[in-house]
Amino acid sequence: MPFQNLKRQGFFAVSITVLGLSAQPALSSPASDLLDKYNAWYLESGFEKASYAEAIESGDTTEIRDYNVAGVFSIKNDEGEPTATFYADVTIPKMVFTGSAVDGDVFSYDSLTVGKATFDIRVLEEDSAVKDIASAKDLKPVAQFSGSMTDYTISDFSEKWVDHPVLKEGISQEAFLQLLGMSLNTSYGSSAISEMSLTFNISDEFVSDTVLTGFKTGSIKDGVTETISLERYTSTGKSKISGEHVSSNVATNTVTSYKNLKIDRLDARPLLAYFKLADAPSANYIGSYTTEDISLEMSIDGAKAHEPIGFLSMTAASTSAKDLSIKDGDGLKLLSIFENLDTESDEDQEMLVLELFDALGSYNIGYSDMKDLEIKSWDPIRAKRMNEVAPSFEMKLASASMTDFSLSGIGNITLEGFHGAVEGDDAVFDVGTFEIANVAWPSMREIVEKGMAADQNPEAAMELIPTIGKFSIKNAEGIADDLDTPISLKELTIAMDGHIGPIPTSISDVVSGLSFDAALLQEPMVLGVFERLGLERVTLNQDFKIAWDENTEDLTLEKFEFELENGLKLRADIQLGGIPRSLFEKPHEAEAVIALATFKGAQIEVMDSPLISELLAAQAEQAGVPAEMLASMMIDGSLQQAGPLAETEFALELANAAKKFAGKPTNIRVTLAPQSAVPLMQLGGLAALAPQQLPELLGATVTYTK
């Protein structure tokens, strides 16, 4: 559909009318000249009325009475048939200008004061026979947007007049861009609206009433608004829920409010630069914003008892953001794509969609946060007694922050002070800190392109997987009504770096203080051993790092440590060689790649493990033999099953050390230190055919320390 038929004059003419009246002067003298220019443009663009009753001048003050702009417009399809009809009416009983002047094409005034203004914009049925504004008022609209504002003021206004595009026959791409660029022609020192009331109604299916109080702006010049503030925003809405299995009396009611909205440095130039209309000194279109005392309440009338929500409330102390930006992309190309979407073949449309992603550009938020978020939800039954019973679900969050958010990644997300509860105290969980960092994913174009090729190309599917640099949870605890004691975790941190595609070449993992009631193990033998050790809770710790060195092609498991506090502790280090980059680039071919890898060394150490001796003691009691005898029998039995390996010096030394360790589990260490790297295929062959050669080939030794 051509651009002029997609965006017809109705929508833009109405929009320009409202914006024009809220920011433009109009009167006799220089002010009246400017007003006459706008009135002529409104009438040329299809408005039925654009006039005022009288202008009263006194010194440098001009008062305009009963200003009104009204009209009916239709948006038409390619065949010239109306697809939507709009009615618009804006009325200002009195406007007062002071100090108006003109210098060439530049009109200015010191101040504008509007006591009250009203507007009414309606969308009518497509086939409505509407000839004028009088007949439009009598029709029931499909949608209606109406409201009023009081005590509207502007100071130190200036505008350079240029010819405006006529919109009567529709708005072309050229006209749209011209109107957008004209925003740089206007400046003023400040503006304010004491109160604005808005009502939005869509066929009585959705109705909202909104009140904005204490709206102010600082200076506006060269497309930059230095400050915007709003003292309070309040909105109530009601919508009917329709569907095959929903009764007609179900409705959602919402109340939303916030206070003290502040925006610093709203810059239109990045948007204008996107459409090649101006240069932008930076990509930031908003320097920062904050708002406070945010509240949302939602109730569902007529909800069934089994449904999850009857009433929901959300509050937050504040939210803020910094450095919102738009860069790259091509707005002119985007408009061209929209023009051609309906005229191209299916294959060409696929290409247009891919080009659309390129044209959209990149949108970024440097930083954003929210403080003291609280959400409570009651199911329909509990909602009837919500002042007496606990919520069905409750969540609190001390703070949430995010950095470097874009269409292709997130720098960091951090949640602190998280608390959740389900059905009162049936389940309660807390998290001190949650963090995820350095997350990246492909562009929208890459996702579509490679998604289409994924069936035939496994590598393309791999490239769709996001990468994550860090995942961390600290000071977490949860308990439910079927748990005697909480499950807790001091820290879980996984860090990943050096990604090749989606696969990291360096991974570190820390698990600290994972603790739970020993009774959860539900194994009598293990529970008996824990009781002998005096362990009522199981506490686990783990730490390891895996890293690949591209220069040496070594893959190292470094300092793998596992600890059951007061029960067991072990450590391992393993080094493999001959791991090429292709393993990470083509993981689906890993089996062939690993077959060529080599073993370069390892060390496994078990220490401070009273769990082993107590487990042997418990088994010995059941067997009716001394623990030392049972350990010796078990070790000797294992040795006999080792086949040819049992006759090696290493196997005998290992059995001897294991018997000592079973009696006093202090420290046992096995070291594998071959003189040179050993191919893994060779190890596999020897294990099957000549296992007795393995200890010497691997340089295997064992030590036991009391």
Side-chain angles (χ1 to χ4, degrees):
M1 180 181 293
F3 185 87
Q4 63 178 1
N5 291 323
L6 179 66
K7 300 287 187 180
R8 286 287 181 175
Q9 73 275 14
F11 174 79
F12 283 97
V14 170
S15 302
I16 295 301
T17 300
V18 176
L19 294 175
L21 290 174
S22 66
Q24 316 299 343
L27 285 220
S28 51
S29 66
S32 74
D33 291 341
L34 183 59
L35 179 62
D36 290 342
K37 287 178 178 291
Y38 270 102
N39 284 346
W41 177 56
Y42 295 147
L43 293 172
E44 277 187 294
S45 295
F47 281 85
E48 189 174 329
K49 292 179 61 178
S51 63
Y52 52 88
E54 59 179 332
I56 303 172
E57 295 189 52
S58 177
D60 70 343
T61 301
T62 306
E63 180 179 314
I64 297 293
R65 297 284 182 89
D66 299 328
Y67 187 78
N68 179 242
V69 177
V72 177
F73 313 92
S74 292
I75 295 178
K76 300 177 181 179
N77 60 22
D78 294 333
E79 288 73 35
E81 300 170 341
T83 58
T85 301
F86 295 88
Y87 159 76
D89 190 322
V90 179
T91 300
I92 305 176
K94 184 172 73 171
M95 296 187 288
V96 178
F97 295 82
T98 64
S100 64
V102 62
D103 182 5
D105 292 329
V106 178
F107 294 82
S108 63
Y109 53 79
D110 294 338
S111 69
L112 164 64
T113 302
V114 174
K116 185 174 183 178
T118 61
F119 60 88
D120 185 4
I121 301 172
R122 307 181 187 185
V123 181
L124 307 175
E125 292 284 356
E126 293 181 15
D127 56 355
S128 298
V130 182
K131 297 182 178 180
D132 52 34
I133 56 178
S135 59
K137 289 182 179 180
D138 295 332
L139 295 174
K140 183 175 179 60
V142 175
Q144 183 174 9
F145 180 62
S146 60
S148 65
M149 60 182 179
T150 58
D151 298 332
Y152 174 37
T153 62
I154 296 178
S155 68
D156 300 326
F157 178 91
S158 175
E159 177 183 0
K160 180 180 180 180
W161 179 264
V162 295
D163 290 335
H164 289 42
V166 177
L167 309 177
K168 189 171 185 178
E169 296 302 322
I171 181 165
S172 65
Q173 176 177 316
E174 181 182 359
F176 168 73
L177 295 173
Q178 185 179 347
L179 291 171
L180 199 61
M182 284 165 49
S183 62
L184 297 176
N185 297 337
T186 301
S187 67
Y188 49 84
S190 65
S191 70
I193 300 174
S194 177
E195 183 175 284
M196 180 180 289
S197 299
L198 308 170
T199 297
F200 188 48
N201 186 328
I202 301 179
S203 302
D204 295 328
E205 294 291 322
F206 173 78
V207 180
S208 70
D209 293 295
T210 302
V211 178
L212 294 81
T213 306
F215 175 83
K216 296 179 181 179
T217 72
S219 65
I220 295 180
K221 187 176 182 180
D222 297 328
V224 179
T225 306
E226 290 296 336
T227 60
I228 297 175
S229 63
L230 180 67
E231 293 179 5
R232 184 173 181 84
Y233 169 97
T234 303
S235 180
T236 61
K238 184 169 185 175
S239 60
K240 295 180 180 179
I241 302 176
S242 60
E244 182 179 352
H245 303 292
V246 180
S247 60
S248 59
N249 63 342
V250 178
T252 300
N253 305 284
T254 59
V255 179
T256 307
S257 66
Y258 57 81
K259 298 178 182 177
N260 300 330
L261 169 68
K262 296 179 181 179
I263 300 175
D264 287 332
R265 199 166 180 81
L266 175 64
D267 193 341
R269 290 174 296 182
L271 176 62
L272 298 177
Y274 178 71
F275 287 103
K276 311 297 189 261
L277 296 173
D279 293 327
S282 79
N284 283 11
Y285 61 90
I286 291 181
S288 66
Y289 81 79
T290 61
T291 189
E292 301 172 350
D293 294 339
I294 304 150
S295 174
L296 167 67
E297 291 186 349
M298 180 179 73
S299 61
I300 301 180
D301 296 338
K304 303 298 182 183
H306 63 273
E307 293 175 345
I309 297 177
F311 185 90
L312 180 143
S313 71
M314 185 199 79
T315 60
S318 66
T319 182
S320 70
K322 296 179 182 178
D323 299 330
L324 282 71
S325 64
I326 173 176
K327 59 183 179 181
D328 303 324
D330 188 335
L332 298 180
K333 185 176 181 180
L334 183 67
L335 296 179
S336 176
I337 290 170
F338 283 140
E339 283 187 9
N340 295 322
L341 272 178
D342 287 346
T343 62
E344 300 291 345
S345 64
D346 291 344
E347 184 176 344
D348 290 336
Q349 282 193 1
E350 289 181 1
M351 290 303 301
L352 284 177
V353 170
L354 296 177
E355 292 176 6
L356 183 147
F357 292 134
D358 292 336
L360 285 175
S362 174
Y363 302 84
N364 301 72
I365 301 175
Y367 173 84
S368 63
D369 68 20
M370 181 176 287
K371 305 290 186 183
D372 296 327
L373 173 67
E374 184 171 350
I375 299 175
K376 296 181 180 180
S377 173
W378 287 261
D379 61 41
I381 299 299
R382 287 173 172 257
K384 296 177 181 179
R385 301 173 52 239
M386 56 182 292
N387 294 326
E388 305 171 20
V389 298
S392 307
F393 172 78
E394 178 180 9
M395 187 197 83
K396 296 179 181 179
L397 187 62
S399 69
S401 64
M402 179 174 62
T403 63
D404 299 325
F405 172 80
S406 72
L407 296 180
S408 59
I410 299 172
N412 178 281
I413 295 177
T414 300
L415 309 180
E416 295 182 315
F418 179 87
H419 168 79
V422 180
E423 296 290 343
D425 294 328
D426 289 351
V428 178
F429 43 98
D430 296 274
V431 177
T433 304
F434 169 86
E435 181 182 5
I436 186 168
N438 300 325
V439 182
W441 54 82
S443 68
M444 292 299 297
R445 179 180 181 128
E446 289 176 314
I447 290 174
V448 173
E449 281 185 315
K450 293 174 181 177
M452 294 167 61
D455 290 341
Q456 291 78 30
N457 185 358
E459 293 180 30
M462 288 292 297
E463 292 173 2
L464 292 174
I465 301 174
T467 60
I468 300 176
K470 181 181 180 182
F471 176 89
S472 179
I473 298 175
K474 295 181 179 179
N475 300 321
E477 183 175 276
I479 189 168
D481 58 359
D482 57 351
L483 295 176
D484 294 330
T485 60
I487 297 174
S488 61
L489 173 68
K490 289 184 179 179
E491 179 182 3
L492 165 63
T493 298
I494 302 173
M496 293 166 279
D497 198 6
H499 291 80
I500 297 177
I503 303 176
T505 60
S506 175
I507 304 174
S508 65
D509 171 271
V510 175
V511 178
S512 175
L514 174 58
S515 179
F516 54 89
D517 196 317
L520 293 178
L521 297 174
Q522 297 182 343
E523 173 58 49
M525 174 67 74
V526 175
L527 290 175
V529 171
F530 274 56
E531 184 177 354
R532 296 167 69 105
L533 290 170
L535 297 178
E536 296 181 355
R537 295 185 63 79
V538 176
T539 302
L540 304 176
N541 301 302
Q542 177 181 292
D543 188 354
F544 74 83
K545 180 178 181 180
I546 299 176
W548 175 72
D549 187 323
E550 186 169 11
N551 294 323
T552 63
E553 293 191 337
D554 286 348
L555 181 66
T556 304
L557 171 61
E558 180 183 358
K559 200 187 71 172
F560 172 82
E561 294 183 349
F562 176 83
E563 178 186 20
L564 168 61
E565 288 187 8
N566 301 313
L568 174 70
K569 186 175 183 180
L570 61 87
R571 170 173 174 160
D573 298 272
I574 301 173
Q575 186 176 18
L576 301 178
I579 304 296
R581 183 183 179 89
S582 60
L583 174 65
F584 303 94
E585 294 174 331
K586 301 179 179 180
H588 54 283
E589 299 177 0
E591 185 175 348
V593 172
I594 293 177
L596 301 177
T598 62
F599 178 81
K600 303 186 77 171
Q603 182 172 279
I604 302 172
E605 185 176 8
V606 184
M607 62 201 100
D608 300 327
S609 303
L611 177 65
I612 293 177
S613 58
E614 291 299 332
L615 184 59
L616 280 170
Q619 291 177 326
E621 287 182 5
Q622 287 187 349
V625 298
E628 294 81 0
M629 180 182 295
L630 178 62
S632 181
M633 292 170 59
M634 293 174 64
I635 294 169
D636 289 342
S638 298
L639 189 62
Q640 290 175 7
Q641 295 178 6
L645 185 62
E647 302 299 326
T648 63
E649 182 179 352
F650 169 74
L652 296 174
E653 290 178 353
L654 178 60
N656 184 49
K659 292 176 182 178
K660 293 178 181 179
F661 184 79
K664 189 175 183 180
T666 52
N667 184 287
I668 186 171
R669 180 186 303 165
V670 175
T671 302
L672 304 177
Q675 293 183 358
S676 60
V678 181
L680 294 184
M681 289 187 67
Q682 182 182 356
L683 290 179
L686 288 176
L689 301 175
Q692 68 275 14
Q693 297 180 22
L694 287 175
E696 182 177 355
L697 178 65
L698 296 175
T701 59
V702 59
T703 58
Y704 167 74
T705 305
K706 291 185 179 181

